[in-house]
Amino acid sequence: MKRVLITGGSRGIGAACVRRFAEEGDRVVFLYNKSEDAAMDLSMETGAFAMQCDVSDANALKETLAEAERALGGAIDVLVNNAGVSLIKLLADTTDEEMLSVYRTDLLAATVACREVSRGMVRAQRGYIVNIGSVWGRVGASCEAVYSAAKAGLRGLTQALAKELGPSHITVNCVEPGVILTDMNASLDGETLMALCDETPLCRLGETRDIAEIVFWLTSGKADFITGQSIGVDGGFGL
Ligand code: NDP
């Protein structure tokens, strides 16, 4: 039984991760921001514990992570930095506030969570960190420069921390989804989704479970010689 903390667990990929760990009997705390009803339903369904926290607020995140450790009854074994927001806009039209909001949610929050949670992992001399990046962090997306930059930052964070934390038997990896059917892509019309599907060598869009399985595997004890990697789970979209 592992103690698992997942950010952005109320919907989409994060919710699939909550289900995957919970079905193995792991003790799971997940953070949500606005989707209280969905979070409560998921908590009832899985037995996972939901905590409200806007991860873009570093102080709130620090306090919530300390509370989460108390709720879990000890140091976190698995941290999944999943919470994220996208921004589809020309860089020329993007305001400073919009940039900061994306960087705070998608990059700063993961960095803060790694710092806070890794202290307990170092004391325990074990642990797993998985950052949820994006194929756009690898190849860049037009009209998503800020999002792509934030996700590329997660690659660097992953590699550096893998070196820093490796001697403490902590693995740090990044999972980079391709196009996954979640609310994040709800604004895309059918034609765009078809085009994205056509560009995917495996000829389908991803499902949340595709990502949750890889996150789970990386932290299952069966992948303990993998660290510092950014693993595309994208049906070949990023090739
Ligand atoms: P969704 O939009 O479906 O869900 C986003 C989740 O993040 C929600 O649980 C939301 O919580 C949470 N969240 C967002 N902002 C905050 C915040 N400030 N504080 C706390 N929680 C927050 O997204 P996906 O499931 O699709 O995406 C999950 C991750 O996967 C993201 O990091 C995304 O960038 C990445 N990804 C997704 C892809 C896709 O095609 N779907 C492709 C590549 C990467 P709440 O609703 O409670 O506010």
Side-chain angles (χ1 to χ4, degrees):
M1 193 272 306
K2 296 190 289 285
R3 287 184 283 263
V4 182
L5 188 292
I6 299 169
T7 68
S10 48
R11 294 184 287 118
I13 291 168
C17 292
V18 171
R19 288 192 177 93
R20 187 66 187 89
F21 284 100
E23 75 191 23
E24 293 298 321
D26 288 326
R27 197 177 287 178
V28 182
V29 169
F30 70 91
L31 310 188
Y32 68 96
N33 187 24
K34 296 180 182 155
S35 302
E36 183 165 14
D37 289 349
M40 292 309 132
D41 288 350
L42 185 63
S43 181
M44 288 282 283
E45 176 196 326
T46 60
F49 192 64
M51 299 179 85
Q52 196 281 331
C53 175
D54 177 354
V55 300
S56 69
D57 176 342
N59 285 327
L61 178 57
K62 271 196 287 188
E63 282 169 22
T64 307
L65 289 171
E67 256 180 74
E69 285 206 334
R70 286 193 288 274
L72 285 164
I76 290 163
D77 302 302
V78 176
L79 167 66
V80 183
N81 283 309
N82 164 78
V85 287
S86 61
L87 179 70
I88 302 179
K89 215 168 191 186
L90 284 174
L91 183 62
D93 296 336
T94 304
T95 65
D96 292 356
E97 288 69 31
E98 287 171 327
M99 285 184 201
L100 280 172
S101 172
V102 173
Y103 288 136
R104 283 203 177 106
T105 309
D106 292 9
L107 183 55
L108 181 65
T111 315
V112 169
C114 285
R115 181 187 65 196
E116 297 302 304
V117 171
S118 67
R119 291 191 185 116
M121 289 180 173
V122 169
R123 276 195 296 275
Q125 289 289 292
R126 63 163 194 274
Y128 301 97
I129 296 175
V130 182
N131 297 315
I132 305 297
S134 166
V135 64
W136 297 141
R138 182 158 23 117
V139 301
S142 171
C143 295
E144 294 195 63
V146 177
Y147 180 73
S148 301
K151 293 298 188 180
L154 288 178
R155 299 190 123 214
L157 176 71
T158 297
Q159 289 173 328
L161 274 185
K163 291 178 181 171
E164 199 166 308
L165 298 175
S168 298
H169 318 290
I170 298 162
T171 70
V172 187
N173 289 291
C174 184
V175 169
E176 297 184 325
V179 186
I180 311 297
L181 291 165
T182 67
D183 296 343
M184 189 169 269
N185 293 317
S187 64
L188 303 179
D189 59 32
E191 203 177 317
T192 307
L193 288 174
M194 286 273 272
L196 289 166
C197 191
D198 286 346
E199 284 174 50
T200 305
L202 285 178
C203 302
R204 70 170 175 90
L205 300 179
E207 292 174 12
T208 56
R209 183 90 186 184
D210 292 319
I211 308 304
E213 279 301 334
I214 302 306
V215 172
F216 183 79
W217 174 69
L218 283 168
T219 66
S220 65
K222 293 183 177 162
D224 284 0
F225 206 49
I226 298 178
T227 196
Q229 304 304 306
S230 293
I231 301 169
V233 185
D234 61 4
F237 183 74
L239 292 173

